[in-house]
Amino acid sequence: SALGHAAVVALVIWAFYGFRFAAFNPALPPADHFIRPWADYVGNTGLIGEATRELARLKALPEGYLYGFDYVLATTKSRAAFLNGEHSITGWRTFFIWTFLLKTTLPILIATLLLTFGVIRRACFEGGGRRIFYRWTPLVALLTIYGATSITSQLNIGHRHILPLYPVIFIAAGGLGTVLFSANRWRMPAMAALCTWQAFEGWRIAPYHLAYFNPIAGGPANGWRHLVDSSLDWGQDLPALKQWLESNAKGQPAYLSYFGTAEPAYYKISARRLVFVNNFRFAPIFEKLEPGVYCISATILQQVYTPVGGPWTPEREKEYQELRALEPAFTAYSTDSGARTELLKNVPAERWQNAIQRHDVLRMARLTAFLRPRKPDANAGYSILIYRLSAEEIHDATAGTWSEWLRRIERTAAPDQR
């Protein structure tokens, strides 16, 4: 049976790669290496990595699949993650338990609890326990093994990694009426109520299904306080942002700090670029912040994949204030070609660009720490949070002293606390 399963798995993998071993399509221009050279992982992925590379040498599975497997092994050892306001690079044992509790609809959670209770009750108190548990063994085995594997994983970046658990729950829920209610007259009304409730939850969140959070998390509007990245924010809401800006901020200055792999210009979004986390590379241009609409992806708001994640510290404040003294030079470098030529006589372009980039990263970290305690003024698809900021708020958030910054945070957070 195991060999048969392995053969089917191998066949499916080969089919998805077009039964071609080489990772690089010979019909396309040649590529010299993967995103990172495979040799970088030698010695970093243990015996499993050695076995993966041996399978590649034997051409037992497609090269692209095996490289991807080794890449995941290497990158899961330490990776930035966020959960309920905390940051980690090694993850939490409770991460997927929390994602299940926060992102699963209440009717499914209730059905899961009732199902567990019903199976145990029938097995323990109504006889036939061994027969009942035997019938449920395939589902329980899959649920237990995959669930345990997920809990021990350090790749805490998204709810999607436990999606295989849901078909198990759905199949099991098919027997809920019989297991829990037997011939009870409440069986059909209870099942109909749960199914209707589940359908209603799906209809209510449409079309923003990725951003669904149940009432335990405070609903989708508060999802960003608990989970980000692919549990909420995968760069999917640029169309929603475009629509919101056209309806609510036409003619107003707009700033965008975006997490994702799309290009905002494709959607004709007229917004000044702040810190981005995507695959596009633009030379850093210093932007002076003015009153207007600030649109910030949830993952950037929580500072997950930036070099200055976590709390704002005195050391970061000192570095930021030192770079702020160079803002007039940054403006000249970015807007005046003559001034740029003069500045480049003493300092190479790379150092100017690195300084501007570091300044922007620190400024965004200070701004997001200022905004996190505050309720957003609006959102685009729940993953891009929108704030209307005045000149005074921008000054306190990015240019004021640390004491001014703290006082403003206390003042803006107070209404939410009430």
Side-chain angles (χ1 to χ4, degrees):
S1 176
L3 289 173
H5 277 79
V8 171
V9 168
L11 180 65
V12 169
I13 292 173
W14 276 108
F16 271 90
Y17 284 82
F19 296 96
R20 187 186 73 238
F21 170 76
F24 302 103
N25 190 335
L28 298 176
D32 56 352
H33 61 76
F34 295 99
I35 186 171
R36 282 179 57 186
W38 204 340
D40 288 358
Y41 307 137
V42 174
N44 295 327
T45 52
L47 290 175
I48 297 178
E50 295 296 333
T52 301
R53 287 184 288 276
E54 180 62 19
L55 288 174
R57 188 184 69 81
L58 297 172
K59 297 186 177 181
L61 288 172
E63 184 184 31
Y65 174 81
L66 293 171
Y67 172 83
F69 195 94
D70 217 18
Y71 174 82
V72 170
L73 284 177
T75 55
T76 52
K77 289 186 175 181
S78 63
R79 182 177 177 128
F82 174 82
L83 174 65
N84 294 336
E86 296 182 1
H87 293 77
S88 174
I89 60 169
T90 56
W92 301 267
R93 296 295 187 195
T94 58
F95 180 84
F96 289 110
I97 296 173
W98 274 109
T99 57
F100 182 80
L101 288 175
L102 297 176
K103 288 190 65 68
T104 304
T105 62
L106 290 183
I108 295 300
L109 288 176
I110 292 171
T112 303
L113 289 173
L114 291 176
L115 187 66
T116 303
F117 169 76
V119 170
I120 293 174
R121 187 193 66 179
R122 293 195 66 183
C124 296
F125 301 107
E126 297 181 14
R130 183 174 180 179
R131 177 180 54 83
I132 292 172
F133 283 127
Y134 181 79
R135 290 176 59 190
W136 288 80
T137 294
L139 295 178
V140 172
L142 179 54
L143 190 73
T144 303
I145 294 171
Y146 193 90
T149 303
S150 300
I151 289 172
T152 58
S153 171
Q154 293 178 289
L155 191 62
N156 292 172
I157 60 173
H159 176 240
R160 61 195 168 94
H161 289 277
I162 59 169
L163 290 183
L165 297 179
Y166 287 92
V168 178
I169 295 171
F170 299 155
I171 293 168
L176 179 59
T178 302
V179 167
L180 186 64
F181 298 102
S182 187
N184 192 301
R185 62 191 178 92
W186 294 104
R187 179 172 63 184
M188 291 304 295
M191 296 302 97
L194 285 174
C195 290
T196 302
W197 189 2
Q198 174 70 10
F200 174 74
E201 290 293 301
W203 169 81
R204 187 169 62 168
I205 193 62
Y208 307 115
H209 296 97
L210 179 59
Y212 178 82
F213 284 82
N214 63 35
I216 298 173
N222 288 295
W224 63 274
R225 299 184 186 275
H226 302 281
L227 296 166
V228 291
D229 202 333
S230 61
S231 295
L232 165 66
D233 175 25
W234 233 359
Q236 73 274 14
D237 282 321
L238 289 180
L241 177 63
K242 169 67 172 176
Q243 184 178 4
W244 189 93
L245 290 172
E246 287 185 342
S247 302
N248 301 278
K250 188 168 286 187
Q252 300 178 42
Y255 294 83
L256 174 60
S257 185
Y258 170 67
F259 173 77
T261 57
E263 171 49 45
Y266 175 82
Y267 298 94
K268 298 180 173 58
I269 294 175
S270 299
R272 304 172 192 178
R273 291 175 180 268
L274 296 176
V275 173
F276 268 42
V277 180
N278 67 5
N279 292 332
F280 294 89
R281 297 291 178 262
F282 296 92
I285 298 176
F286 177 73
E287 283 280 1
K288 184 178 179 181
L289 304 187
E290 298 176 351
V293 176
Y294 285 73
C295 312
I296 305 174
S297 290
T299 307
I300 295 178
L301 185 66
Q302 296 292 6
Q303 291 290 297
V304 179
Y305 295 119
T306 71
V308 289
W312 188 251
T313 63
E315 293 74 21
R316 289 170 181 170
E317 177 73 14
K318 182 176 182 294
E319 183 185 3
Y320 174 63
Q321 294 297 345
E322 290 171 353
L323 287 170
R324 274 198 64 238
L326 298 174
E327 286 183 357
F330 293 159
T331 301
Y333 182 89
S334 299
T335 60
D336 187 332
S337 58
R340 185 188 303 122
T341 301
E342 289 298 317
L343 291 168
L344 290 175
K345 289 181 180 179
N346 299 316
V347 180
E350 184 179 3
R351 286 186 60 187
W352 280 111
Q353 291 174 2
N354 289 341
I356 292 172
Q357 189 172 35
R358 181 64 178 175
H359 169 276
D360 288 354
V361 166
L362 287 166
R363 183 176 64 177
M364 178 55 66
R366 199 179 197 257
L367 175 61
T368 53
F370 174 86
L371 292 174
R372 282 194 294 269
R374 167 180 167 174
K375 182 180 179 181
D377 296 302
N379 68 74
Y382 301 106
S383 76
I384 300 177
L385 292 308
I386 300 170
Y387 300 85
R388 295 185 185 273
L389 299 181
S390 66
E392 182 185 5
E393 289 172 318
I394 292 168
H395 174 271
D396 290 349
T398 64
T401 63
W402 199 359
S403 59
E404 291 173 329
W405 180 75
L406 289 172
R407 281 198 300 271
R408 172 66 76 166
I409 289 176
E410 292 171 358
R411 221 161 53 231
T412 56
D416 287 346
Q417 292 171 355
R418 287 197 299 268

